[in-house]
Amino acid sequence: MLYRENGQFKTTYAADQQIFTITQDKWFVIAVIAFAFIGVPMIADEYMFRAILIPFLILALAALGVNLLVGYCGQITLGAGAFMAVGAYAAYNFQIRIDGMPLIAAVLLGGLTSAGIGIIFGIPSLRVRGLYLAVATLAAQFFCDWAFLRIQWFTNNSSSGSVSISNLQVFGWTIDAPVEKYLFCLVFIVLFALLAKNLTRATMGRQWMAIRDMDVAAEVIGIRPMYAKLSAFAVSSFFVGVAGALWGFVHLGSWEPAAFSVDRSFQLLFMVIIGGMGSIFGSFIGAAFIVILPIFLNQFLPALGSIVGVTISTAAVSHAELIIFGSLIVFFLIVEPHGLARLWAIAKEKLRLWPFPH
Amino acid sequence: MSRKIGDVILDLQNISLRFGGVKALTDISFDIREHEVRAIIGPNGAGKSSMLNVINGVYHPQDGKIMFRGVERKKMEPHLAAKQGISRTFQNIALFKGMSVLDNIMTGRTLKIKSNLLLQALWIGPARNEEIAHRRKVEEIIDFLEIQHIRKTPVGRLPYGLQKRVDLGRALAMEPQILLLDEPMAGMNVEEKQDMCRFILDVNDHFGTTIVLIEHDMGVVMDISDRVVVLDYGKKIGDGLPDEVRASPEVIKAYLGAGH
């Protein structure tokens, strides 16, 4: 009853083209963002920030980037972890090699470097597609793994191969406490989500989706496949690169190449598939599902075991965690191949009509 | 009728197209005049769709010349043909299934949108104004095709007849000079065919768009086209006014077989 658009008439095209055309949606999202900025810092403890919220935000940003490429432009990638690494190491080098480099500039430059590398590794997409493209992007992953491990210059000749960043400052504000790190990441993710939404509702997004849905027809109506595909790679890698820089700088603080292994690439791809391809919101729920569910299972299983009087060993918990996690992925993919975002959209559609069936 | 058939806009000279050893088109010449409705007919596999694909640059003929407004067209890509004002619809609908009707038709405006990626991402200034200006144009097309009620529906959910109409809308959004229609009425019932004929004639009438039409329904072809070219086995066997073509013994032979 509360969720109705009756009476919300649009009298201009500008009003009809806004992001949330239904007033309730707009207020809901504003409320969520306000809660994230004000409510969460009041209730969450340090563990929540470090283990759940900060990784969730950063990986959601990376998943958003992957979604632009995979979900919107239909170009599958298994190199997202590599682009995170490029973003992180590029930002690191900008930070330590240039005196007085502001933190935000270093992070954005890391993203831009990643965008450049993304374009280079996106070139195969002009000739191959589907699984073959996945394999070609996997090359990016292995190449970057190798480069950051072997080329000493990238890691500032550190003997152990690990690099670290300390004393994060933005306009004199030192980002030190977990809550500050959380807010810093939150600002990034909110702004980037807005950018992504704008791109996808403008001609760029339409070109990407046209290439995804029917590339021959797209070309015939004047879309240049090369521009559309490479711009998708560039924008996607920019997002992923910024996420990588945040992951290194803010979440880890010090890291080695293994932090951005092929596992990370798969993880990001799964987030997109489970959350919903071609959905900004889907990137967030996909990231939430993958980041939070294992932690939840980890806490929940021993508790469940003690209720029924069984002591579950730590090893058994971690095995069961994987089994349940895997079967939930299969379950959701069978129920709704288009991801959790589609389930959410269907629920909203039903809610608009409720209590009537049609 | 206010429209007047103008000069030759597209002149195809001795076009031959081969796929390996298969000859799809052999030495075909015909011209298309401005503002006319030009039909291409022929039995299945005659090379009609290949002909359209040659015109809009998807296939590159091995021999022959294509003159567009008196200038020879070099080897070209489909998006360059689109830039010259050639748009088309597809035999087996090639809409963007995941997008709404509105977005599908908006893609037809791609070539006319100039704002860059950064402005689009920020949704400010020119990018936003352009988006609104093109929306206005697209709404005119939506009104013209009488599909207002489905503008926000994903095209994948629409029935076949409406999808065909959206396909036409997307081609029209380019404001083409030449509109290629590949079997726009295939699989439609009589009423849908009548609607489609009306749209095609209206487009031709109001916007002066040159129309090249492939169609199997002879009644429709004879009714709405100004001139007809007939292909069979990749060769041209007839060209002229609908009545002339209908009376041609060679055309009758191709359609009905030699025994008649």
Side-chain angles (χ1 to χ4, degrees), chain A:
Chain A
M1 292 291 199
L2 293 170
Y3 190 64
R4 284 275 195 283
E5 71 221 68
N6 293 5
Q8 299 173 14
F9 298 111
K10 308 289 182 305
T11 50
T12 61
Y13 292 132
D16 196 43
Q17 285 171 334
Q18 59 190 331
I19 296 177
F20 302 106
T21 44
I22 299 175
T23 314
Q24 286 91 328
D25 280 349
K26 187 161 41 182
W27 287 112
F28 175 71
V29 170
I30 289 174
V32 167
I33 293 174
F35 177 72
F37 272 103
I38 301 162
V40 171
M42 291 199 283
I43 53 173
D45 57 11
E46 195 172 325
Y47 169 79
M48 282 274 281
F49 283 123
R50 276 190 199 285
I52 299 175
L53 291 171
I54 294 173
F56 161 69
L57 286 181
I58 299 175
L59 290 179
L61 177 58
L64 187 57
V66 175
N67 210 338
L68 289 178
L69 185 61
V70 179
Y72 282 95
C73 196
Q75 309 298 310
I76 195 159
T77 174
L78 281 175
F83 298 126
M84 277 183 89
V86 171
Y89 281 100
Y92 169 77
N93 280 296
F94 280 115
Q95 182 80 2
I96 58 158
R97 286 175 201 280
I98 300 171
D99 260 346
M101 177 61 102
L103 174 62
I104 291 176
V107 169
L108 292 180
L109 282 170
L112 284 177
T113 313
S114 174
I117 304 290
I119 290 174
I120 293 170
F121 281 102
I123 290 172
S125 74
L126 304 178
R127 298 308 292 266
V128 296
R129 62 178 83 181
L131 284 176
Y132 299 94
L133 180 62
V135 174
T137 54
L138 203 54
Q141 181 69 48
F142 289 126
F143 176 76
C144 290
D145 279 358
W146 171 83
F148 295 126
L149 202 58
R150 297 284 171 227
I151 300 176
Q152 301 280 309
W153 187 84
F154 289 133
T155 51
N156 200 22
N157 302 316
S158 90
S159 52
S160 63
S162 89
V163 298
S164 64
I165 281 282
S166 57
N167 190 23
L168 302 173
Q169 276 195 335
V170 183
F171 305 123
W173 171 43
T174 308
I175 299 168
D176 193 25
V179 60
E180 292 168 328
K181 290 180 173 180
Y182 164 80
L183 287 173
F184 183 68
C185 293
L186 188 62
V187 171
F188 264 94
I189 182 87
V190 169
L191 289 179
F192 273 67
L194 182 65
L195 294 183
K197 183 67 202 174
N198 283 344
L199 273 181
T200 54
R201 64 186 170 138
T203 179
M204 196 70 255
R206 286 194 297 269
Q207 291 186 36
W208 292 342
M209 289 187 274
I211 288 284
R212 172 195 69 189
D213 285 350
M214 189 66 74
D215 51 357
V216 178
E219 212 180 336
V220 164
I221 58 172
I223 293 170
R224 283 171 296 159
M226 188 169 94
Y227 175 70
K229 286 179 182 175
L230 292 186
S231 64
F233 267 97
V235 174
S236 160
S237 306
F238 177 68
F239 275 56
V240 175
V242 167
L246 290 177
W247 189 257
F249 280 33
V250 180
H251 179 55
L252 298 176
S254 69
W255 72 95
E256 38 195 272
F260 304 104
S261 65
V262 70
D263 290 353
R264 182 71 65 210
S265 300
F266 279 113
Q267 197 188 28
L268 290 172
L269 192 62
F270 293 158
M271 285 178 189
V272 171
I273 293 171
I274 291 168
M277 299 226 260
S279 161
I280 306 278
F281 178 63
S283 317
F284 286 89
I285 29 180
F289 187 88
I290 297 235
V291 173
I292 297 170
L293 194 68
I295 295 172
F296 171 75
L297 286 176
N298 199 306
Q299 308 282 325
F300 171 75
L301 285 178
L304 184 74
S306 65
I307 289 171
V308 291
V310 189
T311 321
I312 306 175
S313 70
T314 336
V317 168
S318 61
H319 291 309
E321 185 188 314
L322 285 175
I323 293 170
I324 296 174
F325 187 54
S327 35
L328 276 176
I329 291 175
V330 174
F331 172 74
F332 277 117
L333 288 182
I334 291 172
V335 173
E336 184 51 70
H338 294 102
L340 298 172
R342 179 63 69 86
L343 283 178
W344 174 253
I346 292 171
K348 280 209 305 189
E349 227 165 88
K350 290 246 193 296
L351 199 60
R352 274 158 74 176
L353 299 170
W354 186 84
F356 307 106
H358 299 293

